[in-house]
DNA sequence: TGTACATCAGTGAACGCGCGTTCACTGATGTAC
DNA sequence: TGTACATCAGTGAACGCGCGTTCACTGATGTAC
């Protein structure tokens, strides 16, 4: 690289090569680099092959040793994101199986907290517009909307949480699945619009969330 | 343009130039071309200056006669989208000012119908991730989240609709603004997640929407 | 223990592409005299 | 009515950039004999 007649070395630090059997280490570094870019730039489009290589301190073609192409890198970021979300929810609900309502609220708060704390990651997980291109007739029936197992995990926790309230006589729900859909969609709308329009005079998120969950799950007032 | 030794003329149709005072006509054609691209490709990133020029059948630099840069074109698409949404809502609610609940439901149905019928447009209006870049300290306090007047128009209709139900004794709402926030966010979540994950076993949208509006606006059962 | 060699992990240079933007221009259209 | 000219609407060629991907390569590391 040459600028103004002065030879400039690209400021990539000389990477110490992994040892013989440890090539897989770089794979994790690549995903971590992509996640850092996502976090920093706030948009999925910033995750380009060359940007990831720069961030990871490697040459661009090195990525091909670990991923088929750039989409595979983004896919790995998605998988890591869903795993992270499920982990957060489980961490918030583990070891407090006393009150089913408290459990349900804790899980929902963990979901919303994740979305607000890592908006770029959340947006990639749930906000990506599946380009509604004219459906290629020759295309195999692709798995719609990336239901990567962890996504369903999180939703199942919600359904179970409502069902537990019903079992404890604390919810009037007759269809926990449907009510979980209502709670999930409402939570998603709350966080994604709030991120979209931060200048709007939003009421406090905690209050709205509590109402969303208690009403959506048809929680009955505590019987005396 | 030359391919395989054969001279190929770019298949842009020879555009008949606008007459002297009618240069503004092209501006509308440019916006219309950008909207067609958005509709067809389903993603905002497809709206590039060159793609718009191709779609409009003009040379790329011709756009600069009507817009400062490519972002201005996208801004015009946004404005047109918000205007279109407000128009749809008004069309659905005009001339049926009899029952405030029917009015409220009609407006909300128009919102959801717009979002489902033109998902790409809707996504651009409400789903764009404002890149949460580290806030440039030198930057002027930008209008947050593009509150283009028509957007607030639509929300105000919702607030007024709930207030009208209260005035008619049909709603128990004590804070129409807050309840409008609840209805708006829930509607947004319903449509955007449904578009994101079309393979999910969603319950019928109409049913969910009706519940969303009636519960969110705290509509009381009709008094006998 | 020594040495030839296969393998592994990663590199540097190059390709063709579409992009946003600039620049000097062209040719029709209306206007001043 | 005729003609020179300013203006308007839009063009074609070119620039530099970052991108995804390919190709032949390099040099350290472990292994077979």
């Amino acid at each position: 690289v040459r600028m103004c007649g002065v030879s400039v070395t690209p400021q990539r630090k000389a990477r110490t090569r992994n040892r013989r059997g440890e090539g897989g280490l770089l794979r994790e570094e690549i995903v971590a680099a992509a996640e850092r870019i996502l976090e920093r730039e706030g948009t999925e489009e910033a995750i380009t092959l060359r940007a990831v290589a720069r961030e990871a301190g490697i040459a661009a073609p090195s990525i091909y040793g670990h991923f088929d192409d750039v989409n595979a890198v983004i896919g790995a970021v998605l998988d890591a994101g869903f795993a992270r979300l499920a982990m957060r929810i489980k961490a918030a609900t583990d070891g407090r199986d006393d009150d089913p309502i408290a459990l349900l609220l804790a899980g929902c708060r963990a979901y919303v907290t994740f979305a607000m704390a890592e908006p770029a990651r959340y947006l990639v997980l749930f906000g990506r517009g599946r380009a509604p291109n004219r459906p290629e007739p020759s295309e195999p029936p692709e798995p719609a909307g990336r239901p990567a197992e962890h996504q369903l995990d999180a939703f199942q926790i919600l359904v179970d949480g409502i069902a537990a309230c019903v079992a404890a006589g604390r919810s009037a729900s007759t269809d926990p699945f449907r009510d979980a859909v209502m709670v999930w969609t409402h939570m998603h709308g709350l966080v994604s619009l709030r991120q979209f329009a931060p200048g709007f005079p939003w009421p406090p998120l905690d209050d709205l969330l509590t109402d969303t969950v208690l009403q959506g799950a048809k929680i009955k007032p505590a019987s005396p």
Side-chain angles (χ1 to χ4, degrees), chain A residues 37-57:
Chain A
I37 291 169
L38 175 61
E39 202 81 33
R40 187 187 335 127
E41 305 299 330
T43 171
E44 177 183 342
E45 288 85 48
I47 304 180
T48 68
L49 190 112
R50 293 179 106 109
V52 170
R54 276 193 301 273
E55 178 75 24

Side-chain angles (χ1 to χ4, degrees), chain A residues 3 23 27 40-41 60 74 84 99-100 112 154 157 171-172 180 201 223:
Chain A
M3 301 180 100
R27 189 194 150 93
R40 187 187 335 127
E41 305 299 330
I74 294 178
R84 197 177 167 82
D99 180 1
V112 166
I157 293 177
S171 163
S223 50

Side-chain angles (χ1 to χ4, degrees), chain A residues 7-51:
Chain A
S7 169
V8 175
T9 60
Q11 56 238 28
R12 166 149 60 86
K13 350 165 190 177
R15 176 187 162 74
T16 55
R17 179 197 308 257
N18 280 319
R19 309 215 34 199
R20 186 69 179 258
E22 301 167 339
L25 293 182
L26 183 52
R27 189 194 150 93
E28 295 169 24
E29 289 179 46
I30 290 170
V31 175
E35 291 184 292
R36 283 200 302 277
I37 291 169
L38 175 61
E39 202 81 33
R40 187 187 335 127
E41 305 299 330
T43 171
E44 177 183 342
E45 288 85 48
I47 304 180
T48 68
L49 190 112
R50 293 179 106 109

Side-chain angles (χ1 to χ4, degrees), chain A residues 6 17 51 71 92 208:
Chain A
V6 180
R17 179 197 308 257
N71 290 321
L208 300 183

Side-chain angles (χ1 to χ4, degrees), chain A residues 31-32 53 68 89 129 149 164 177:
Chain A
V31 175
D68 279 353
I89 294 174
E149 67 264 36
F177 175 84

